[in-house]
Amino acid sequence: MSDSPASAVIDPSTALDSLATALNSGNLKKQLAALPALAALDDGVALLIDFAKDRSPQPLAIDTIDPLLGRICQLLNRADLPQARNFLEGYYPDGVVELPGECTVDYQPIQTALLEEDFDQADRITIQKLCELAGPEAVKRKWLYFTEVDRFPALDLQVIDGLWRTYSEGKFGFSIQREIWLGVGQDWEKFWPKINWKQGNHWTRWPGEFNWSLAAPRGHLPTTNQLRGVRVMNALMRHPAWS
């Protein structure tokens, strides 16, 4: 009979060819959609490694955001296969992004958490690093004054933003939040629901009600300790780093 189970089996090579076509299409949406299925196949892992080598044989400068490469490295890291591990250790030992030496704060822990897809931890470290940037008093209190944000060097905010954008398929980061904020005419009451920080009169409770995954709405992360209200967020959105 033509409808036997054997006739419904998909040829793995055909599936791999289809996924490879999507990966090489140049369409970011199609490319990102193909990555998890490729990472689940041994031949797919090899294909992703070759693709990454061709795309960039060395870590990228912070001003070269590449969400596709960031996602590939997340999936290779998750695969925990010898060939994937050897590739990451040889080409991107600290991650996709080469952190600039001019920063006085070490942002590598953010990159490590994002590479491991631990968005909750990355968010907590981001708040910690912003406090370190603000100084000892902010570290002690564990939150920021908006006046401290005003004094942040542009490069430091760009580094944090670049890391979040690189490892979130381009969905998360301060500049993404700013884009959404500008898109609603800088209206905070329209902005909060857009990034799912507030629904009706209910504020999303940190951390339990936040979505710590790529399934979260665009701009949902980082949280920047949203319990502090609008003034810190307003200072971030208006910072010269984005001009």
Side-chain angles (χ1 to χ4, degrees):
M1 294 177 64
S2 60
D3 59 349
S4 64
S7 67
V9 174
I10 299 174
D11 183 349
S13 63
T14 301
L16 184 63
D17 288 345
S18 177
L19 292 168
T21 298
L23 181 62
N24 291 292
S25 67
N27 181 306
L28 182 59
K29 186 175 181 179
K30 290 182 179 179
Q31 290 173 310
L32 289 170
L35 295 184
L38 281 166
L41 302 170
D42 287 347
D43 288 343
V45 167
L47 194 155
L48 289 177
I49 290 172
D50 289 341
F51 182 89
K53 288 178 181 177
D54 289 340
R55 195 165 180 87
S56 179
Q58 57 193 13
L60 299 169
I62 192 61
D63 58 352
T64 308
I65 306 301
D66 192 341
L68 183 62
L69 190 56
R71 187 63 181 138
I72 288 172
C73 288
Q74 283 176 323
L75 291 167
L76 291 177
N77 183 64
R78 187 200 300 178
D80 197 28
L81 296 171
Q83 64 267 39
R85 188 163 51 251
N86 291 340
F87 164 70
L88 292 175
E89 290 175 356
Y91 283 76
Y92 312 122
D94 297 316
V96 173
V97 179
E98 183 177 6
L99 300 176
E102 303 94 304
C103 294
T104 56
V105 172
D106 178 15
Y107 297 112
Q108 183 58 42
I110 300 177
Q111 174 155 231
T112 300
L114 289 170
L115 179 62
E116 294 173 353
E117 302 176 74
D118 191 343
F119 294 103
D120 185 353
Q121 181 67 1
D123 187 72
R124 294 170 189 270
I125 297 172
T126 295
I127 296 170
Q128 173 191 326
K129 293 299 178 180
L130 288 172
C131 288
E132 287 181 29
L133 190 61
E137 289 303 313
V139 171
K140 188 183 300 183
R141 78 176 98 91
K142 300 181 181 180
W143 49 268
L144 301 167
Y145 288 123
F146 75 94
T147 50
E148 292 168 331
V149 175
D150 291 338
R151 297 194 297 269
F152 285 169
L155 177 62
D156 289 76
L157 289 182
Q158 290 162 357
V159 167
I160 296 172
D161 176 67
L163 289 172
W164 276 97
R165 287 166 57 200
T166 296
Y167 293 104
S168 68
E169 300 185 350
K171 292 179 64 175
F172 304 147
F174 302 138
S175 64
I176 302 299
Q177 292 169 338
R178 183 174 186 271
E179 181 184 319
I180 296 169
W181 176 67
L182 292 174
V184 295
Q186 304 177 29
D187 185 326
W188 295 106
E189 290 309 308
K190 292 180 180 177
F191 174 71
W192 305 128
K194 279 278 188 181
I195 63 171
N196 200 28
W197 284 15
K198 187 179 183 182
Q199 295 298 327
N201 294 321
H202 175 74
W203 284 96
T204 304
R205 294 179 182 176
W206 187 92
E209 293 182 354
F210 276 80
N211 187 335
W212 307 106
S213 76
L214 290 176
R218 188 169 180 266
H220 189 60
L221 301 173
T223 68
T224 323
N225 197 350
Q226 51 92 31
L227 298 178
R228 289 288 122 195
V230 73
R231 299 185 82 179
V232 167
M233 195 67 179
N234 186 62
L236 277 168
M237 298 298 95
R238 297 183 185 277
H239 195 279
W242 322 122
S243 61

